[in-house]
Coordinates of all heavy atoms in Angstrom, one line a residue:
M1 N -30.7 -5.8 -8.7 CA -30.1 -6.2 -7.5 C -29.6 -7.7 -7.6 O -30.2 -8.5 -8.3 CB -31.1 -6.1 -6.3 CG -30.6 -6.2 -5.0 SD -31.8 -5.9 -3.7 CE -30.7 -5.7 -2.3
K2 N -28.6 -8.0 -6.9 CA -28.1 -9.4 -6.9 C -28.0 -9.9 -5.4 O -27.8 -9.1 -4.5 CB -26.6 -9.4 -7.4 CG -26.5 -8.8 -8.8 CD -26.9 -9.7 -9.9 CE -26.5 -9.2 -11.2 NZ -27.4 -9.6 -12.3
L3 N -28.0 -11.2 -5.4 CA -27.8 -11.9 -4.1 C -26.5 -12.7 -4.3 O -26.4 -13.5 -5.2 CB -28.9 -12.9 -3.7 CG -28.6 -13.6 -2.4 CD1 -28.6 -12.7 -1.2 CD2 -29.7 -14.7 -2.2
I4 N -25.5 -12.4 -3.5 CA -24.2 -13.1 -3.5 C -24.3 -14.2 -2.4 O -24.5 -13.8 -1.2 CB -23.0 -12.2 -3.3 CG1 -22.9 -11.1 -4.4 CG2 -21.7 -13.1 -3.3 CD1 -21.9 -10.1 -4.1
I5 N -24.3 -15.4 -2.8 CA -24.3 -16.5 -1.8 C -22.8 -16.9 -1.7 O -22.2 -17.4 -2.7 CB -25.2 -17.7 -2.2 CG1 -26.6 -17.2 -2.4 CG2 -25.1 -18.8 -1.2 CD1 -27.5 -18.2 -3.1
A6 N -22.2 -16.7 -0.6 CA -20.7 -17.0 -0.5 C -20.5 -18.1 0.6 O -20.9 -17.9 1.8 CB -20.0 -15.7 0.0
I7 N -20.0 -19.2 0.2 CA -19.6 -20.3 1.1 C -18.2 -20.1 1.4 O -17.3 -20.3 0.6 CB -19.9 -21.6 0.5 CG1 -21.4 -21.7 0.0 CG2 -19.6 -22.8 1.4 CD1 -21.7 -22.9 -0.9
V8 N -17.9 -19.7 2.7 CA -16.6 -19.3 3.1 C -16.0 -20.3 4.1 O -16.7 -20.7 5.0 CB -16.6 -17.9 3.7 CG1 -15.2 -17.4 4.1 CG2 -17.3 -16.9 2.8
Q9 N -14.8 -20.7 3.9 CA -14.2 -21.6 4.8 C -14.0 -20.9 6.2 O -13.7 -19.7 6.2 CB -12.8 -22.1 4.3 CG -13.0 -23.0 3.0 CD -14.0 -24.1 3.2 OE1 -13.9 -24.9 4.1 NE2 -15.0 -24.2 2.3
D10 N -14.2 -21.6 7.2 CA -14.2 -21.0 8.6 C -12.9 -20.3 8.9 O -12.9 -19.3 9.7 CB -14.5 -22.1 9.7 CG -16.0 -22.4 9.7 OD1 -16.8 -21.6 9.1 OD2 -16.4 -23.4 10.3
D11 N -11.8 -20.7 8.3 CA -10.5 -20.0 8.6 C -10.5 -18.5 8.2 O -9.8 -17.7 8.8 CB -9.4 -20.6 7.7 CG -9.1 -22.1 7.9 OD1 -9.7 -22.6 8.8 OD2 -8.3 -22.6 7.1
Y12 N -11.4 -18.2 7.3 CA -11.4 -16.8 6.7 C -12.6 -16.0 7.1 O -12.7 -14.8 6.8 CB -11.3 -16.9 5.2 CG -10.1 -17.7 4.7 CD1 -10.3 -18.9 4.0 CD2 -8.8 -17.3 5.0 CE1 -9.3 -19.7 3.6 CE2 -7.7 -18.1 4.6 CZ -8.0 -19.3 3.9 OH -6.9 -20.1 3.5
I13 N -13.6 -16.6 7.7 CA -14.9 -16.0 7.9 C -14.8 -14.7 8.7 O -15.4 -13.7 8.4 CB -16.0 -16.9 8.4 CG1 -17.3 -16.3 8.3 CG2 -15.7 -17.4 9.8 CD1 -17.8 -16.0 6.9
N14 N -14.0 -14.7 9.8 CA -14.0 -13.5 10.6 C -13.4 -12.3 9.8 O -13.9 -11.2 9.9 CB -13.1 -13.7 11.9 CG -13.9 -14.6 12.8 OD1 -15.1 -14.8 12.8 ND2 -13.1 -15.3 13.7
K15 N -12.4 -12.6 9.0 CA -11.8 -11.5 8.2 C -12.7 -11.0 7.2 O -12.8 -9.8 6.9 CB -10.5 -11.9 7.6 CG -9.3 -12.1 8.6 CD -8.0 -12.2 7.9 CE -7.8 -13.4 7.0 NZ -6.5 -13.4 6.3
V16 N -13.5 -12.0 6.6 CA -14.4 -11.6 5.5 C -15.5 -10.7 6.1 O -15.9 -9.7 5.6 CB -15.0 -12.8 4.8 CG1 -16.2 -12.5 3.9 CG2 -13.9 -13.5 4.0
I17 N -16.1 -11.2 7.2 CA -17.2 -10.4 7.8 C -16.7 -9.0 8.2 O -17.4 -8.0 8.0 CB -17.7 -11.1 9.1 CG1 -18.3 -12.5 8.8 CG2 -18.7 -10.2 9.9 CD1 -19.7 -12.5 8.6
K18 N -15.5 -8.9 8.8 CA -15.0 -7.6 9.2 C -14.8 -6.7 8.0 O -15.3 -5.5 8.1 CB -13.6 -7.8 9.9 CG -13.1 -6.4 10.4 CD -11.8 -6.6 11.2 CE -11.4 -5.2 11.8 NZ -11.5 -4.1 10.9
V19 N -14.3 -7.2 6.9 CA -14.1 -6.3 5.8 C -15.4 -5.8 5.2 O -15.6 -4.7 4.7 CB -13.1 -6.9 4.7 CG1 -13.8 -7.9 3.8 CG2 -12.4 -5.8 3.9
L20 N -16.4 -6.7 5.2 CA -17.7 -6.4 4.7 C -18.4 -5.3 5.6 O -18.9 -4.3 5.1 CB -18.6 -7.6 4.5 CG -18.2 -8.6 3.5 CD1 -19.1 -9.9 3.5 CD2 -18.1 -8.1 2.1
M21 N -18.3 -5.5 6.9 CA -18.8 -4.5 7.8 C -18.1 -3.2 7.7 O -18.8 -2.1 7.7 CB -18.7 -5.0 9.3 CG -19.6 -6.2 9.6 SD -21.3 -5.9 9.4 CE -21.7 -6.8 7.9
D22 N -16.8 -3.2 7.6 CA -16.0 -2.0 7.4 C -16.4 -1.2 6.2 O -16.3 0.0 6.1 CB -14.5 -2.3 7.3 CG -13.9 -2.7 8.7 OD1 -14.6 -2.6 9.7 OD2 -12.8 -3.2 8.7
N23 N -16.9 -1.9 5.1 CA -17.3 -1.3 3.9 C -18.8 -1.1 3.8 O -19.4 -0.9 2.7 CB -16.8 -2.1 2.7 CG -15.3 -1.9 2.5 OD1 -15.0 -1.0 1.7 ND2 -14.5 -2.7 3.1
K24 N -19.5 -1.3 5.0 CA -21.0 -1.1 5.1 C -21.8 -2.0 4.1 O -22.8 -1.6 3.6 CB -21.3 0.4 4.9 CG -20.5 1.3 5.8 CD -21.2 2.6 6.0 CE -20.6 3.6 7.0 NZ -19.6 3.0 7.9
I25 N -21.3 -3.2 3.9 CA -22.0 -4.2 3.1 C -22.8 -5.1 4.1 O -22.2 -5.7 5.0 CB -21.0 -5.1 2.3 CG1 -20.1 -4.2 1.4 CG2 -21.7 -6.1 1.5 CD1 -20.7 -3.5 0.3
R26 N -24.1 -5.2 3.9 CA -24.9 -6.0 4.8 C -24.8 -7.4 4.5 O -24.7 -7.8 3.3 CB -26.4 -5.5 4.7 CG -26.6 -4.1 5.1 CD -28.0 -3.8 4.9 NE -28.2 -2.3 5.2 CZ -29.3 -1.8 5.4 NH1 -30.4 -2.5 5.2 NH2 -29.4 -0.5 5.7
T27 N -24.8 -8.2 5.5 CA -24.7 -9.7 5.3 C -25.5 -10.5 6.3 O -25.7 -10.0 7.5 CB -23.2 -10.1 5.2 OG1 -23.1 -11.5 5.0 CG2 -22.5 -9.8 6.5
T28 N -25.9 -11.7 5.9 CA -26.5 -12.6 6.9 C -25.7 -13.9 6.9 O -25.3 -14.4 5.8 CB -28.0 -12.9 6.5 OG1 -28.8 -11.8 6.6 CG2 -28.6 -14.0 7.3
K29 N -25.4 -14.4 8.1 CA -24.4 -15.4 8.2 C -25.1 -16.7 8.7 O -25.9 -16.7 9.6 CB -23.5 -15.0 9.3 CG -22.3 -15.8 9.7 CD -21.4 -15.0 10.6 CE -20.3 -15.8 11.2 NZ -20.5 -16.2 12.6
L30 N -24.9 -17.8 8.0 CA -25.5 -19.1 8.4 C -24.4 -20.1 8.6 O -23.5 -20.2 7.7 CB -26.4 -19.6 7.3 CG -27.7 -18.9 6.9 CD1 -27.5 -18.0 5.7 CD2 -28.8 -19.9 6.6
S31 N -24.5 -20.9 9.6 CA -23.6 -22.0 9.8 C -23.9 -23.1 8.7 O -25.1 -23.4 8.6 CB -23.7 -22.6 11.1 OG -23.3 -21.7 12.1
S32 N -22.9 -23.6 8.1 CA -23.2 -24.7 7.1 C -22.1 -25.7 7.1 O -21.1 -25.6 7.8 CB -23.3 -24.0 5.7 OG -22.2 -23.1 5.4
T33 N -22.3 -26.8 6.4 CA -21.4 -27.9 6.4 C -21.2 -28.4 5.0 O -22.2 -28.6 4.3 CB -22.0 -29.1 7.3 OG1 -22.2 -28.6 8.5 CG2 -21.0 -30.2 7.4
G34 N -20.0 -28.6 4.5 CA -19.7 -29.1 3.2 C -20.2 -30.6 3.1 O -19.9 -31.4 4.0
G35 N -20.8 -30.9 2.0 CA -21.3 -32.3 1.9 C -20.2 -33.3 1.7 O -20.3 -34.4 2.1
F36 N -19.1 -32.9 1.1 CA -18.0 -33.8 0.8 C -17.1 -34.0 2.0 O -17.0 -35.2 2.4 CB -17.2 -33.3 -0.4 CG -16.2 -34.2 -1.0 CD1 -16.6 -35.4 -1.7 CD2 -14.9 -34.0 -0.8 CE1 -15.7 -36.3 -2.2 CE2 -13.9 -34.9 -1.3 CZ -14.4 -36.0 -2.0
L37 N -16.5 -33.0 2.5 CA -15.6 -33.1 3.6 C -16.3 -33.2 5.0 O -15.8 -33.6 6.0 CB -14.6 -31.9 3.7 CG -13.6 -31.8 2.5 CD1 -12.7 -30.6 2.7 CD2 -12.8 -33.1 2.4
K38 N -17.6 -32.8 5.0 CA -18.4 -32.7 6.2 C -17.8 -31.9 7.3 O -17.9 -32.2 8.5 CB -18.7 -34.2 6.7 CG -19.5 -34.9 5.6 CD -19.8 -36.3 6.1 CE -20.7 -37.1 5.0 NZ -20.1 -37.0 3.7
S39 N -17.1 -30.9 6.9 CA -16.5 -30.0 7.9 C -17.2 -28.6 7.8 O -17.9 -28.3 6.8 CB -15.0 -29.8 7.6 OG -14.8 -29.3 6.4
G40 N -17.1 -27.9 8.8 CA -17.9 -26.6 8.9 C -17.4 -25.6 8.0 O -16.2 -25.4 7.7
N41 N -18.4 -24.9 7.4 CA -18.1 -23.6 6.7 C -19.2 -22.6 7.0 O -20.1 -23.0 7.8 CB -17.8 -23.9 5.2 CG -18.9 -24.7 4.5 OD1 -20.1 -24.5 4.8 ND2 -18.5 -25.5 3.5
T42 N -19.1 -21.5 6.4 CA -20.1 -20.5 6.7 C -20.7 -19.9 5.4 O -19.9 -19.6 4.5 CB -19.5 -19.3 7.5 OG1 -19.0 -19.9 8.8 CG2 -20.5 -18.2 7.9
T43 N -22.0 -19.8 5.3 CA -22.6 -19.3 4.1 C -23.1 -17.9 4.4 O -23.8 -17.7 5.4 CB -23.8 -20.2 3.7 OG1 -23.3 -21.5 3.4 CG2 -24.5 -19.7 2.5
L44 N -22.7 -17.0 3.6 CA -23.2 -15.6 3.7 C -24.2 -15.3 2.6 O -24.0 -15.6 1.5 CB -22.0 -14.6 3.6 CG -20.9 -14.8 4.6 CD1 -19.8 -13.7 4.3 CD2 -21.4 -14.6 6.0
F45 N -25.3 -14.6 3.0 CA -26.2 -14.0 2.0 C -25.9 -12.5 2.0 O -26.0 -11.9 3.0 CB -27.7 -14.2 2.5 CG -28.2 -15.6 2.3 CD1 -29.5 -15.9 2.7 CD2 -27.5 -16.6 1.6 CE1 -30.0 -17.2 2.6 CE2 -28.0 -17.9 1.4 CZ -29.3 -18.1 1.9
I46 N -25.5 -12.0 0.8 CA -25.2 -10.6 0.7 C -26.0 -10.0 -0.4 O -25.8 -10.3 -1.6 CB -23.7 -10.5 0.4 CG1 -22.8 -11.3 1.4 CG2 -23.2 -9.0 0.4 CD1 -21.4 -11.5 0.9
G47 N -26.9 -9.2 0.0 CA -27.8 -8.5 -1.0 C -27.2 -7.2 -1.4 O -27.0 -6.3 -0.5
V48 N -26.9 -6.9 -2.7 CA -26.2 -5.7 -3.1 C -26.8 -5.2 -4.4 O -27.4 -6.0 -5.2 CB -24.7 -5.9 -3.3 CG1 -24.0 -6.0 -2.0 CG2 -24.4 -7.0 -4.2
E49 N -26.6 -3.9 -4.7 CA -27.0 -3.3 -6.0 C -25.9 -3.9 -7.0 O -24.8 -4.2 -6.6 CB -26.9 -1.8 -5.9 CG -27.9 -1.1 -5.0 CD -29.3 -1.5 -5.4 OE1 -29.6 -1.7 -6.5 OE2 -30.1 -1.6 -4.4
D50 N -26.4 -4.0 -8.2 CA -25.5 -4.6 -9.3 C -24.1 -3.9 -9.3 O -23.1 -4.6 -9.5 CB -26.2 -4.4 -10.7 CG -27.4 -5.3 -10.8 OD1 -27.9 -5.8 -9.8 OD2 -27.8 -5.5 -12.0
K51 N -24.1 -2.6 -9.1 CA -22.8 -1.9 -9.3 C -21.8 -2.3 -8.1 O -20.6 -2.0 -8.2 CB -23.0 -0.4 -9.4 CG -23.6 0.2 -8.2 CD -23.8 1.7 -8.4 CE -24.7 2.5 -7.5 NZ -24.6 2.3 -6.1
E52 N -22.3 -2.9 -7.1 CA -21.4 -3.2 -5.9 C -20.9 -4.6 -6.0 O -20.0 -5.0 -5.2 CB -22.2 -3.1 -4.6 CG -22.6 -1.6 -4.3 CD -23.4 -1.6 -3.0 OE1 -24.4 -2.2 -2.9 OE2 -22.9 -0.9 -2.0
V53 N -21.4 -5.4 -6.9 CA -21.0 -6.8 -7.0 C -19.5 -7.0 -7.1 O -18.9 -7.8 -6.3 CB -21.7 -7.6 -8.1 CG1 -21.1 -9.0 -8.3 CG2 -23.2 -7.7 -7.8
D54 N -18.9 -6.3 -8.0 CA -17.4 -6.5 -8.3 C -16.6 -6.1 -7.0 O -15.6 -6.8 -6.7 CB -16.9 -5.7 -9.5 CG -17.5 -6.3 -10.8 OD1 -18.0 -7.4 -10.8 OD2 -17.4 -5.5 -11.8
K55 N -17.0 -5.1 -6.4 CA -16.3 -4.6 -5.2 C -16.4 -5.7 -4.1 O -15.4 -6.0 -3.4 CB -17.0 -3.3 -4.7 CG -16.4 -2.8 -3.4 CD -17.1 -1.5 -3.0 CE -17.0 -1.3 -1.5 NZ -17.9 -0.2 -1.1
V56 N -17.6 -6.3 -3.9 CA -17.7 -7.3 -2.9 C -16.9 -8.5 -3.2 O -16.2 -9.1 -2.3 CB -19.2 -7.7 -2.7 CG1 -19.4 -8.9 -1.8 CG2 -20.0 -6.5 -2.1
V57 N -16.9 -8.9 -4.5 CA -16.1 -10.1 -4.9 C -14.6 -9.8 -4.6 O -13.9 -10.7 -4.0 CB -16.3 -10.4 -6.4 CG1 -15.3 -11.5 -6.9 CG2 -17.7 -10.9 -6.6
E58 N -14.2 -8.6 -4.9 CA -12.7 -8.3 -4.6 C -12.4 -8.3 -3.1 O -11.4 -8.8 -2.7 CB -12.4 -6.9 -5.2 CG -12.1 -6.9 -6.6 CD -11.0 -7.9 -7.0 OE1 -9.9 -8.0 -6.4 OE2 -11.3 -8.7 -7.9
L59 N -13.3 -7.7 -2.3 CA -13.1 -7.7 -0.9 C -13.0 -9.1 -0.3 O -12.1 -9.4 0.5 CB -14.3 -7.0 -0.2 CG -14.4 -5.5 -0.4 CD1 -15.7 -4.9 0.2 CD2 -13.2 -4.8 0.3
I60 N -13.8 -10.0 -0.8 CA -13.8 -11.4 -0.3 C -12.5 -12.1 -0.8 O -11.8 -12.8 -0.1 CB -15.0 -12.2 -0.7 CG1 -16.3 -11.6 -0.1 CG2 -14.9 -13.7 -0.4 CD1 -17.6 -12.2 -0.5
K61 N -12.2 -11.8 -2.1 CA -11.0 -12.4 -2.7 C -9.7 -12.1 -1.9 O -8.8 -12.9 -1.8 CB -10.9 -11.9 -4.1 CG -10.2 -12.9 -5.1 CD -10.0 -12.3 -6.4 CE -11.1 -12.7 -7.4 NZ -10.9 -12.0 -8.7
E62 N -9.7 -10.8 -1.5 CA -8.5 -10.4 -0.7 C -8.2 -11.1 0.6 O -7.1 -11.1 1.1 CB -8.6 -8.9 -0.5 CG -8.3 -8.0 -1.7 CD -8.8 -6.6 -1.5 OE1 -9.1 -6.2 -0.3 OE2 -8.8 -5.8 -2.5
Q63 N -9.3 -11.7 1.1 CA -9.2 -12.3 2.5 C -9.0 -13.9 2.4 O -8.8 -14.5 3.4 CB -10.5 -12.0 3.3 CG -10.8 -10.6 3.4 CD -9.7 -9.8 4.0 OE1 -9.0 -10.2 4.9 NE2 -9.5 -8.6 3.5
C64 N -9.3 -14.5 1.3 CA -9.3 -15.9 1.2 C -8.4 -16.5 0.2 O -8.0 -15.9 -0.8 CB -10.7 -16.3 0.7 SG -12.1 -15.8 1.7
E65 N -7.9 -17.7 0.5 CA -7.2 -18.5 -0.5 C -7.5 -20.0 -0.4 O -7.9 -20.4 0.6 CB -5.7 -18.2 -0.4 CG -5.1 -18.5 0.9 CD -3.6 -18.1 1.0 OE1 -3.3 -17.0 0.4 OE2 -2.8 -18.8 1.6
S66 N -7.3 -20.7 -1.5 CA -7.6 -22.1 -1.5 C -6.5 -22.8 -0.8 O -5.4 -22.3 -0.7 CB -7.8 -22.6 -2.9 OG -6.6 -22.4 -3.6
K67 N -6.8 -24.0 -0.3 CA -5.8 -24.8 0.3 C -6.0 -26.3 0.0 O -7.1 -26.7 -0.3 CB -5.7 -24.6 1.8 CG -6.9 -25.1 2.6 CD -6.8 -24.9 4.0 CE -8.0 -25.4 4.8 NZ -8.0 -25.1 6.2
N68 N -4.9 -27.1 0.1 CA -5.1 -28.5 -0.2 C -5.3 -29.3 1.1 O -4.7 -29.0 2.1 CB -3.8 -29.1 -0.9 CG -3.6 -28.5 -2.3 OD1 -4.6 -28.1 -2.9 ND2 -2.4 -28.5 -2.8
V69 N -6.3 -30.2 1.0 CA -6.7 -30.9 2.2 C -6.6 -32.4 1.9 O -7.1 -32.8 0.8 CB -8.1 -30.6 2.7 CG1 -8.6 -31.5 3.8 CG2 -8.2 -29.1 3.1
K70 N -6.0 -33.2 2.8 CA -5.9 -34.7 2.5 C -7.2 -35.3 3.0 O -7.7 -35.1 4.0 CB -4.8 -35.2 3.4 CG -3.4 -35.1 2.7 CD -2.7 -36.4 2.8 CE -1.4 -36.4 1.9 NZ -1.4 -37.4 0.9
T71 N -7.7 -36.2 2.1 CA -8.9 -37.0 2.5 C -8.5 -38.5 2.2 O -8.6 -38.9 1.1 CB -10.1 -36.7 1.6 OG1 -9.8 -36.9 0.3 CG2 -10.6 -35.2 1.8
G72 N -8.0 -39.1 3.2 CA -7.5 -40.5 3.0 C -6.3 -40.4 2.1 O -5.4 -39.7 2.4
K73 N -6.4 -41.1 1.0 CA -5.2 -41.2 0.1 C -5.2 -40.0 -0.9 O -4.2 -39.7 -1.5 CB -5.2 -42.5 -0.7 CG -4.8 -43.7 0.1 CD -4.7 -44.9 -0.8 CE -4.5 -46.1 0.0 NZ -4.9 -47.4 -0.7
E74 N -6.4 -39.4 -1.0 CA -6.5 -38.3 -2.0 C -6.3 -36.9 -1.4 O -6.3 -36.8 -0.1 CB -7.9 -38.3 -2.6 CG -8.2 -39.4 -3.5 CD -9.6 -39.4 -4.1 OE1 -10.1 -38.2 -4.4 OE2 -10.3 -40.4 -4.1
E75 N -6.1 -36.0 -2.2 CA -5.9 -34.6 -1.8 C -6.9 -33.8 -2.6 O -7.0 -33.9 -3.8 CB -4.5 -34.1 -2.0 CG -4.2 -32.9 -1.2 CD -2.7 -32.6 -1.3 OE1 -2.2 -32.1 -2.3 OE2 -2.0 -32.8 -0.2
V76 N -7.7 -32.9 -1.9 CA -8.6 -32.0 -2.7 C -8.2 -30.5 -2.4 O -7.6 -30.2 -1.4 CB -10.1 -32.2 -2.3 CG1 -10.5 -33.6 -2.7 CG2 -10.3 -32.0 -0.8
T77 N -8.5 -29.7 -3.4 CA -8.2 -28.3 -3.3 C -9.5 -27.6 -2.9 O -10.5 -27.6 -3.6 CB -7.7 -27.7 -4.6 OG1 -6.6 -28.4 -5.0 CG2 -7.4 -26.2 -4.4
V78 N -9.6 -27.1 -1.6 CA -10.8 -26.5 -1.1 C -10.6 -25.0 -1.3 O -9.7 -24.4 -0.9 CB -10.9 -26.8 0.4 CG1 -12.3 -26.2 0.9 CG2 -10.9 -28.3 0.6
G79 N -11.6 -24.4 -2.0 CA -11.6 -23.0 -2.2 C -11.8 -22.2 -0.9 O -12.6 -22.7 0.0
G80 N -11.1 -21.1 -0.8 CA -11.3 -20.3 0.4 C -12.7 -19.8 0.5 O -13.3 -19.6 1.6
A81 N -13.3 -19.5 -0.7 CA -14.7 -19.1 -0.8 C -15.2 -19.5 -2.2 O -14.5 -19.5 -3.2 CB -14.8 -17.6 -0.6
N82 N -16.5 -20.0 -2.2 CA -17.2 -20.3 -3.4 C -18.4 -19.4 -3.5 O -19.2 -19.4 -2.6 CB -17.7 -21.7 -3.4 CG -16.6 -22.7 -3.8 OD1 -16.6 -23.1 -5.0 ND2 -15.8 -23.2 -2.9
L83 N -18.5 -18.6 -4.5 CA -19.5 -17.6 -4.7 C -20.5 -17.9 -5.8 O -20.1 -18.4 -6.8 CB -18.9 -16.2 -5.0 CG -17.8 -15.7 -4.1 CD1 -17.4 -14.2 -4.5 CD2 -18.1 -15.7 -2.7
F84 N -21.8 -17.7 -5.5 CA -22.8 -17.9 -6.5 C -23.5 -16.5 -6.5 O -23.9 -16.0 -5.4 CB -23.8 -19.0 -6.1 CG -23.2 -20.3 -5.9 CD1 -22.6 -20.7 -4.7 CD2 -23.1 -21.2 -7.0 CE1 -22.0 -22.0 -4.6 CE2 -22.5 -22.4 -6.9 CZ -22.0 -22.8 -5.7
I85 N -23.7 -16.0 -7.7 CA -24.3 -14.6 -7.8 C -25.6 -14.7 -8.6 O -25.5 -15.2 -9.8 CB -23.3 -13.7 -8.5 CG1 -22.0 -13.6 -7.6 CG2 -23.9 -12.3 -8.6 CD1 -20.8 -12.9 -8.2
V86 N -26.7 -14.4 -8.0 CA -28.0 -14.6 -8.6 C -28.8 -13.3 -8.7 O -28.6 -12.4 -7.8 CB -28.8 -15.7 -7.9 CG1 -28.1 -17.1 -8.0 CG2 -29.0 -15.4 -6.4
D87 N -29.6 -13.2 -9.7 CA -30.5 -12.0 -9.9 C -31.6 -12.0 -8.8 O -32.2 -13.1 -8.5 CB -31.1 -12.0 -11.3 CG -30.1 -11.7 -12.3 OD1 -29.2 -10.9 -12.1 OD2 -30.2 -12.2 -13.4
I88 N -31.9 -10.9 -8.3 CA -33.0 -10.7 -7.4 C -34.1 -9.9 -8.1 O -33.8 -8.8 -8.6 CB -32.6 -10.0 -6.1 CG1 -31.5 -10.7 -5.4 CG2 -33.7 -9.7 -5.2 CD1 -31.9 -12.1 -4.9
D89 N -35.3 -10.4 -8.1 CA -36.4 -9.6 -8.7 C -36.8 -8.4 -7.9 O -36.9 -7.3 -8.4 CB -37.7 -10.5 -8.9 CG -37.7 -11.4 -10.1 OD1 -36.8 -11.1 -11.0 OD2 -38.5 -12.3 -10.2
R90 N -37.0 -8.7 -6.6 CA -37.4 -7.6 -5.7 C -36.9 -7.9 -4.3 O -36.8 -9.1 -3.9 CB -38.9 -7.6 -5.6 CG -39.6 -7.0 -6.8 CD -41.0 -6.6 -6.5 NE -41.9 -7.7 -6.2 CZ -43.1 -7.6 -5.7 NH1 -43.6 -6.4 -5.4 NH2 -43.8 -8.7 -5.4
H91 N -36.6 -6.9 -3.6 CA -36.3 -7.0 -2.2 C -37.3 -6.2 -1.4 O -37.5 -5.0 -1.7 CB -34.9 -6.5 -1.9 CG -34.6 -6.2 -0.4 ND1 -33.9 -5.1 0.0 CD2 -35.0 -6.9 0.7 CE1 -33.8 -5.1 1.3 NE2 -34.5 -6.2 1.8
I92 N -38.1 -6.8 -0.6 CA -39.1 -6.1 0.2 C -38.8 -6.2 1.6 O -38.6 -7.3 2.2 CB -40.5 -6.8 -0.1 CG1 -40.9 -6.8 -1.6 CG2 -41.6 -6.1 0.7 CD1 -42.1 -7.6 -1.9
K93 N -38.7 -5.0 2.2 CA -38.5 -5.0 3.7 C -39.8 -4.5 4.3 O -40.3 -3.5 3.9 CB -37.3 -4.0 4.0 CG -37.0 -4.0 5.5 CD -35.5 -3.6 5.7 CE -35.4 -2.1 5.9 NZ -34.0 -1.8 6.3
I94 N -40.3 -5.3 5.2 CA -41.6 -5.0 5.8 C -41.5 -4.5 7.3 O -40.7 -5.1 8.0 CB -42.6 -6.2 5.8 CG1 -42.8 -6.6 4.3 CG2 -43.9 -5.9 6.5 CD1 -43.4 -7.9 4.0
Ligands
2BA101 P1 -17.3 -29.7 0.5 O1 -18.6 -30.3 -0.1 O2 -17.0 -30.3 1.8 O3 -16.2 -29.9 -0.5 C1 -14.8 -29.6 -0.1 C2 -13.9 -29.8 -1.3 O4 -13.9 -31.2 -1.7 C3 -14.3 -29.0 -2.5 O5 -13.8 -27.7 -2.5 C4 -13.7 -29.9 -3.7 O6 -12.3 -29.6 -3.8 C5 -13.8 -31.3 -3.1 N1 -15.1 -32.0 -3.6 C6 -16.3 -31.7 -3.3 N2 -17.2 -32.6 -3.9 C7 -16.4 -33.5 -4.5 C8 -16.7 -34.6 -5.3 N3 -17.9 -35.0 -5.5 N4 -15.6 -35.3 -5.7 C9 -14.4 -34.9 -5.5 N5 -14.0 -33.8 -4.8 C10 -15.0 -33.1 -4.3 P2 -14.6 -26.6 -3.1 O7 -15.2 -26.9 -4.5 O8 -13.9 -25.3 -3.0 O9 -15.9 -26.4 -2.2 C11 -15.8 -25.9 -0.8 C12 -17.2 -26.0 -0.2 O10 -18.1 -25.1 -0.9 C13 -17.9 -27.3 -0.3 O11 -17.5 -28.2 0.8 C14 -19.4 -27.0 -0.3 O12 -19.8 -26.7 1.0 C15 -19.4 -25.7 -1.1 N6 -19.7 -25.9 -2.5 C16 -18.7 -25.9 -3.5 N7 -19.3 -26.1 -4.7 C17 -20.6 -26.1 -4.4 C18 -21.8 -26.2 -5.3 N8 -21.7 -26.4 -6.6 N9 -23.0 -26.2 -4.7 C19 -23.1 -26.1 -3.4 N10 -22.1 -25.9 -2.5 C20 -20.9 -26.0 -3.0

């Protein structure tokens, strides 16, 4: 089993949640803030079987795109979503 930690920009979060729900993918949503821009984003915890990981990544990819944001004189490219995929030893529901 894997845990996908997805940091999604707020512009895309409603579409991402909808497509995950439509595909019966369970998710937990946390409000979060980027350390650099200090603007709001949303972190999703998505626990899935290994065989579902690629499908979830594709579903999220279809909803998000990166964009350029000005910070003073500089411009940074903010990803529509940043995903971290980690192994889960066990999932226990009590
Ligand atoms: P922020 O920390 O607000 O970062 C927004 C964007 O600013 C980043 O986009 C990147 O383009 C730029 N940036 C961040 N730190 C920088 C630095 N030290 N110097 C120069 N530019 C910097 P993304 O990389 O797409 O990240 C979007 C959001 O995803 C981040 O918001 C943060 O909340 C999260 N994130 C990205 N990488 C992460 C990581 N390795 N660990 C934890 N959270 C991460």
Side-chain angles (χ1 to χ4, degrees):
M1 191 174 194
K2 304 279 189 208
L3 179 65
I4 303 174
I5 302 167
I7 303 167
V8 182
Q9 295 309 306
D10 283 345
D11 300 354
Y12 307 114
I13 191 62
N14 289 339
K15 287 196 298 179
V16 168
I17 298 268
K18 181 173 187 317
V19 81
L20 294 177
M21 293 297 105
D22 288 350
N23 283 272
K24 304 203 177 342
I25 305 290
R26 295 179 186 192
T27 182
T28 293
K29 184 173 171 253
L30 295 97
S31 295
S32 46
T33 305
F36 189 72
L37 293 180
K38 298 180 177 53
S39 58
N41 51 35
T42 299
T43 300
L44 300 179
F45 284 175
I46 308 163
V48 288
E49 296 304 327
D50 289 17
K51 62 180 165 49
E52 291 181 301
V53 169
D54 290 345
K55 176 182 159 188
V56 171
V57 171
E58 276 311 307
L59 290 172
I60 295 174
K61 211 186 259 181
E62 284 165 9
Q63 306 305 323
C64 301
E65 56 186 37
S66 61
K67 66 175 180 188
N68 293 339
V69 173
K70 275 226 170 244
T71 59
K73 285 183 190 160
E74 286 179 45
E75 194 169 76
V76 294
T77 303
V78 184
N82 276 266
L83 310 186
F84 300 88
I85 299 169
V86 295
D87 287 326
I88 298 297
D89 277 348
R90 288 197 293 169
H91 165 219
I92 302 171
K93 185 154 91 171
I94 297 168

